[in-house]
Amino acid sequence: MRAVALTILGGLMLAGGSSALADDPAEGRKIANMCATCHGVDGYAQIPIAPHIGGEPKEYLEAQLMAFKTGQREHEMMSIVTASLSAQQISDVAAWYASHAAVATLPDGVTEQEAPLACVSCHGADGISLLLDAPNLAGEVNIYIDTQLKAFRNGKRQHEIMSEIAASLTDEEIREIADWYSNVQLEIGPPK
């Protein structure tokens, strides 16, 4: 039996679930204008409670935006913004932000061996993600990381790996992790 491409109005899906339209960072750039107040057009956050998203893995960004859109993840602003976006627009804006280069530099006198052991296999010693479904942590404000880890620990956020890791962390350990990554210098370069 041969595979047949299916067209679903409004979504253009191929059999197997992949999008028939390629991700378009240029279209994503247009959508990023509504993200700029918090995340910046280049993905360098403009406010401390928003994460830096420039240079994040596209897969991670897309998954988080879809989680906000579907209600799997809730946030007073992100849930509203994503509700109006189509799956194609989410792919496009994720491609825009992912097209940027994120470069992290450890502070002088600090080595990778000092990085939080529980975090480095996914998030890297310098906070640049080593996995497509994990976020960068480099240069995030420590209160943002602290808040997210506590949300995983308390069950307000659910993730098969993070919930388990955070469950065993003390407030002091969470603060040490948050301070480590907030002290890493992050630069977000132009699209590749």
Side-chain angles (χ1 to χ4, degrees):
M1 194 158 144
R2 60 187 178 120
V4 178
L6 302 175
T7 302
I8 300 173
L9 293 176
L12 291 179
M13 299 297 283
L14 295 177
S18 62
S19 177
L21 298 176
D23 303 324
D24 187 346
E27 286 300 312
R29 165 62 180 88
K30 295 174 189 175
I31 298 162
N33 285 328
M34 74 173 143
C35 311
T37 301
C38 298
H39 299 286
V41 170
D42 64 353
Y44 196 90
Q46 304 301 300
I47 59 175
I49 60 170
H52 303 302
I53 58 175
E56 290 281 10
K58 179 189 167 296
E59 293 80 359
Y60 174 77
L61 292 172
E62 206 166 16
Q64 295 308 304
L65 290 169
M66 288 304 292
F68 285 122
K69 181 175 180 65
T70 63
Q72 180 185 4
R73 189 171 172 198
E74 294 181 9
H75 183 272
E76 58 275 0
M77 182 59 71
M78 291 303 301
S79 298
I80 292 168
V81 170
T82 56
S84 67
L85 297 177
S86 69
Q88 184 64 53
Q89 289 172 314
I90 286 174
S91 291
D92 291 345
V93 75
W96 165 254
Y97 283 116
S99 73
H100 291 73
V103 178
T105 306
L106 293 177
D108 289 339
V110 174
T111 67
E112 289 186 3
Q113 289 72 29
E114 299 171 67
L117 195 54
C119 308
V120 296
S121 62
C122 297
H123 302 284
D126 63 358
I128 299 297
S129 177
L130 301 173
L131 304 174
L132 295 178
D133 62 349
N136 295 335
L137 298 179
E140 294 294 358
V141 177
N142 58 4
I143 194 66
Y144 177 79
I145 296 171
D146 185 278
T147 300
Q148 298 307 310
L149 284 172
K150 287 178 180 172
F152 283 119
R153 183 179 70 186
N154 299 334
K156 290 181 182 175
R157 284 191 70 184
Q158 298 289 323
H159 185 269
E160 60 191 43
I161 296 169
M162 287 304 306
S163 297
E164 186 176 325
I165 289 171
S168 65
L169 296 174
T170 65
D171 285 349
E172 182 180 315
E173 290 168 325
I174 286 174
R175 179 52 77 159
E176 288 173 7
I177 292 166
D179 287 346
W180 172 268
Y181 287 113
S182 71
N183 286 323
V184 175
Q185 181 183 354
L186 174 68
E187 293 179 42
I188 297 177
K192 305 170 210 162

